[in-house]
Amino acid sequence: MDHKEIFQNKLNTFIHQIYPAADSEVLAQEIIAAFWPQGSTQRPEGRAPSNDLWTEQDALLITYGNSIVDGAHKPLDLLYDFLLRRMKGVLNGVHILPFFPYTSDDGFAVSDFRAVNPQLGDWADINRIGESFSLMSDLVLNHVSSQGQWFNSYRQGQAPYDRYFFEASPEDDLSTVVRPRTTPLLQEIETVNGPRHVWCTFSHDQIDLDFRNPEVLLEFLRIIRLHVDNGVQIIRLDAVAFLWKEAGSASIHLPQTHAIIKLMRLLCDYAEETIILLTETNVPKAENLSYFGNHDEAHAIYNFPLPPLILHAVMSGSAHYLRRWQSGMPPAPMGCAYLNFTASHDGIGMRPAEGILPDEEQARMIDTIRDIGGLISMRSLPDGGEAPYEINTTYYEATSQTFEGKDDYHFDRFICTQTIPMSLEGIPAFYIHSMLATPNDHKQVAHRGMNRAINRHRWGYPELNARLDDPSSAQSRVLTALSERLRIRAKQPAFHPNATQFTMPLGDHVFGVWRQSLDRRQSIFALHNVSNKTVSLSHLSMNLIEDVEWVDLLSGETVDMDQENVTLAPYQCRWITNYTAV
């Protein structure tokens, strides 16, 4: 069987799984035409799964297009200037959160998928950033704005949009539907055909699309092509777990959802351009891992348990739960990688901590966050109750105190939390407000009436530059420290996203992993003291081989093998290696 037949057979298989009643040959040709319009080229054979899509030099900045403003220039111009001035040589990729016209949820209620929000800039500005940095964009494919052209055309009964949105009845059994919000699931709206109840997973301004209609899938394949043609390399599949719905089911992680991702992965692997699919599924561990498939779904998945577990470790002074979870994590399959992060535009999700952190430990975290002025967002449960969905705070503020109260270690504790994702198997990503030590923005919460606004500050560019140029400011100290570590990290083969990892049993105060490069030449013992205690570790506990010179990459110190122990000050991190890359 030749490569063309292999591709066609796989495509037909996925079509049959998603749309069993469709003419698979006809729909396959429509899919090919949508993803490869005239002027684009399909590879003669698909990319085989490999570790070549990323290297230790890859790290991402997560930011809104208008996280930096000055009232005079286009925000995307300012972002580009900031990236060149402060991030070049530190991070090589940038995730610009939805940069399209929208009506709510800071971009995630998209009203036009084909335009750049004119308040930010235009496609030329996106292209320019994409020429200097690897670019990630959002494919908000679960829902659209209630005020956009698609939904307005649906209400008017205009084809093809009259079949674009998911309708249900209040009489349907919706008792087991998994919800990330507390708002009613169904919304009654008026159409030219009478009243209809439309499905709203997130809010009543975000109307869920109906992927049972293949025209919806085809339209999103055209949108992916638009992104790729404008320099995007990483496509983030937003809220993808909720894509397929069925009354009487949980309407999350359904088989058709996985089949759609596999279909997209197949197309990306046959694209001439390098396209990486990243799934955003803020759910417990096993559910999240399922999106790797058999290394035939997402190229990368978010490591969602990291934010709450790292925060708990430094709040409690114990890495017990973080270490136990990491010890049970499998390496990413061939051709796949984890995306490691502590903070994003959303809050610190608590669902991924389910089954890992006991309820009483989660309660201690929530009480501490409330003490420092953070907020808690809830979600609805099938029994009508509520449970914490996420903690709302900047990560910098979240580390300002421990369960014991405030102390003098805030800076060191925060830097420790950001060093851990640099050390782990996977690609590290950093929210701009972590890089900039941004405090909680309570004024925006009051102004906008939304908990998440606390973590979505907009920096005035002149003020930000003044702070970054002042070595004594928190912004300058944090950005300088994290930039130095990222520059060091980028030179270490043992930090390749797929390099070997072993979680070390070093007691509760220290979270440690051993990394080994793919060619086995370099080992790094990455040690992170998550406590306010000075800790000593014996060489034997780390298996430091004698007659080899071991160096701490972060301090530059040579490890004295004549001493029995390696010492870590409160919240100190060490990257001890046998091989210093040039």
Side-chain angles (χ1 to χ4, degrees):
M1 187 181 297
D2 63 25
H3 292 289
K4 185 175 182 180
E5 289 176 316
I6 292 172
F7 170 80
Q8 197 68 48
N9 287 343
K10 287 184 177 180
L11 183 57
N12 288 340
T13 296
F14 298 143
I15 290 172
H16 182 71
Q17 292 171 354
I18 306 163
Y19 306 110
D23 184 325
S24 60
E25 291 191 7
V26 172
L27 184 52
Q29 291 308 307
E30 292 175 331
I31 287 170
I32 291 169
F35 196 77
W36 287 288
Q38 188 173 5
S40 53
T41 306
Q42 180 177 341
R43 286 169 57 96
E45 60 182 280
R47 289 183 181 85
S50 74
N51 296 328
D52 298 334
L53 289 174
W54 35 68
T55 74
E56 59 273 15
Q57 298 176 21
D58 289 314
L60 289 163
L61 182 75
I62 305 167
T63 180
Y64 280 102
N66 60 356
S67 290
I68 301 171
V69 295
D70 69 358
H73 300 88
K74 292 185 293 185
L76 287 176
D77 276 346
L78 300 179
L79 176 60
Y80 181 66
D81 183 79
F82 171 80
L83 291 169
L84 291 183
R85 187 186 301 195
R86 308 287 183 179
M87 295 287 98
K88 200 70 174 175
V90 175
L91 298 149
N92 67 350
V94 58
H95 171 200
I96 307 178
L97 290 152
F99 46 76
F100 317 101
Y102 71 98
T103 54
S104 66
D105 198 19
D106 286 338
F108 286 93
V110 178
S111 56
D112 185 350
F113 285 95
R114 297 185 172 278
V116 174
N117 183 351
Q119 295 180 351
L120 300 177
D122 52 34
W123 279 115
D125 300 309
I126 297 295
N127 299 158
R128 182 170 57 169
I129 292 172
E131 290 171 357
S132 299
F133 295 85
S134 296
L135 184 60
M136 182 197 299
S137 69
D138 282 282
L139 193 69
V140 187
L141 72 174
N142 181 70
H143 48 260
V144 301
S145 168
S146 67
Q147 301 169 58
Q149 181 256 324
W150 287 12
F151 193 62
N152 286 333
S153 297
Y154 159 81
R155 297 182 68 173
Q156 296 301 317
Q158 298 174 6
Y161 306 104
D162 56 339
R163 295 176 52 245
Y164 261 40
F165 294 91
F166 197 94
E167 299 176 355
S169 167
E171 304 304 316
D172 291 337
D173 177 10
L174 306 176
S175 60
T176 58
V177 173
V178 172
R179 298 298 315 287
R181 300 289 185 272
T182 57
T183 52
L185 176 62
L186 300 185
Q187 177 185 185
E188 183 176 356
I189 52 97
E190 290 295 328
T191 77
V192 293
N193 298 313
R196 294 288 186 272
H197 289 87
V198 292
W199 194 288
C200 304
T201 296
F202 290 89
S203 80
H204 283 188
D205 188 38
Q206 294 165 295
I207 315 298
D208 283 34
L209 291 154
D210 190 351
F211 275 83
R212 295 175 301 181
N213 175 7
E215 291 296 330
V216 175
L217 174 62
L218 292 171
E219 183 60 19
F220 275 100
L221 296 180
R222 297 182 191 105
I223 292 167
I224 291 176
R225 170 52 56 187
L226 174 67
H227 287 217
V228 172
D229 287 347
N230 279 282
V232 171
Q233 293 178 300
I234 307 171
I235 303 288
R236 177 182 182 270
L237 302 180
D238 177 65
V240 69
F242 301 99
L243 203 63
W244 199 274
K245 309 107 175 44
E246 289 178 1
S249 78
S251 294
I252 186 171
H253 314 312
L254 294 184
Q256 294 89 338
T257 293
H258 286 282
I260 287 173
I261 299 170
K262 289 180 180 181
L263 186 151
M264 290 180 172
R265 169 70 179 263
L266 176 68
L267 300 179
C268 291
D269 284 347
Y270 274 84
E272 284 285 355
E273 305 86 355
T274 299
I275 307 172
I276 295 172
L277 290 181
L278 169 68
T279 50
E280 187 266 330
T281 52
N282 191 355
V283 292
K285 170 185 166 182
E287 299 169 40
N288 192 35
L289 288 172
S290 72
Y291 285 87
F292 279 142
N294 185 20
H295 54 72
D296 59 354
E297 288 192 43
H299 294 92
I301 65 171
Y302 281 86
N303 219 342
F304 274 110
L306 276 179
L309 292 180
I310 291 175
L311 182 59
H312 177 270
V314 297
M315 280 185 168
S316 66
S318 171
H320 173 76
Y321 295 105
L322 174 62
R323 183 183 67 250
R324 189 169 71 175
W325 163 77
Q326 185 62 70
S327 296
M329 284 292 286
M334 178 65 75
C336 299
Y338 294 106
L339 188 80
N340 298 322
F341 72 113
T342 58
S344 72
H345 63 291
D346 290 337
I348 300 167
M350 296 305 291
R351 283 213 67 207
E354 292 175 7
I356 305 172
L357 278 180
D359 291 345
E360 59 269 23
E361 294 299 318
Q362 295 190 45
R364 293 176 77 192
M365 289 179 66
I366 288 170
D367 289 344
T368 304
I369 289 296
R370 285 180 169 141
D371 283 347
I372 65 171
L375 304 170
I376 309 298
S377 293
M378 309 298 286
R379 67 183 180 94
S380 294
L381 298 175
D383 63 5
E386 294 184 354
Y389 180 69
E390 65 183 16
I391 292 171
N392 300 111
T393 174
T394 69
Y395 218 83
Y396 180 71
E397 286 283 357
T399 59
S400 62
Q401 71 178 61
T402 69
F403 292 160
E404 298 173 353
K406 292 190 179 295
D407 56 28
D408 295 329
Y409 292 115
H410 183 192
F411 173 80
D412 295 320
R413 186 161 48 241
F414 178 71
I415 297 301
C416 177
T417 67
Q418 303 307 294
T419 306
I420 291 173
M422 295 185 202
S423 307
L424 294 175
E425 175 196 347
I427 302 166
F430 302 88
Y431 190 36
I432 190 170
H433 294 306
S434 293
M435 298 294 289
L436 299 177
T438 305
N440 284 337
D441 194 335
H442 291 283
K443 289 183 179 179
Q444 281 299 310
V445 174
H447 175 67
R448 302 176 62 192
M450 181 175 68
N451 283 359
R452 286 179 168 178
I454 200 170
N455 190 29
R456 299 179 181 180
H457 180 71
R458 293 175 184 169
W459 278 101
Y461 203 27
E463 177 194 1
L464 176 60
N465 278 324
R467 293 199 186 194
L468 292 176
D469 291 338
D470 175 4
S472 67
S473 73
Q475 286 65 44
S476 176
R477 292 180 68 210
V478 165
L479 184 61
T480 298
L482 296 182
S483 296
E484 287 176 353
R485 294 192 176 187
L486 282 165
R487 287 191 181 97
I488 293 169
R489 180 191 181 278
K491 297 177 181 178
Q492 313 310 320
F495 283 145
H496 184 284
N498 299 114
T500 298
Q501 176 171 292
F502 173 75
T503 307
M504 304 169 67
L506 298 174
D508 285 348
H509 290 323
V510 178
F511 176 67
V513 292
W514 170 65
R515 304 294 309 279
Q516 186 182 57
S517 58
L518 296 174
D519 63 7
R520 303 181 68 178
R521 289 182 60 196
Q522 183 184 36
S523 286
I524 295 178
F525 293 90
L527 311 174
H528 317 85
N529 184 356
V530 300
S531 76
N532 59 8
K533 308 290 193 298
T534 298
V535 179
S536 292
L537 301 173
S538 72
H539 295 164
L540 293 176
S541 69
M542 292 183 292
N543 195 30
L544 291 185
I545 300 171
E546 294 184 356
D547 303 321
V548 172
E549 183 176 83
W550 295 94
V551 176
D552 180 357
L553 292 166
L554 297 181
S555 68
E557 300 171 353
T558 299
V559 177
D560 187 350
M561 296 298 289
D562 292 331
Q563 300 290 325
E564 290 187 3
N565 297 321
V566 172
T567 301
L568 289 90
Y571 303 107
Q572 183 179 4
C573 301
R574 288 183 176 273
W575 288 344
I576 297 175
T577 186
N578 64 322
Y579 168 85
T580 305
V582 178

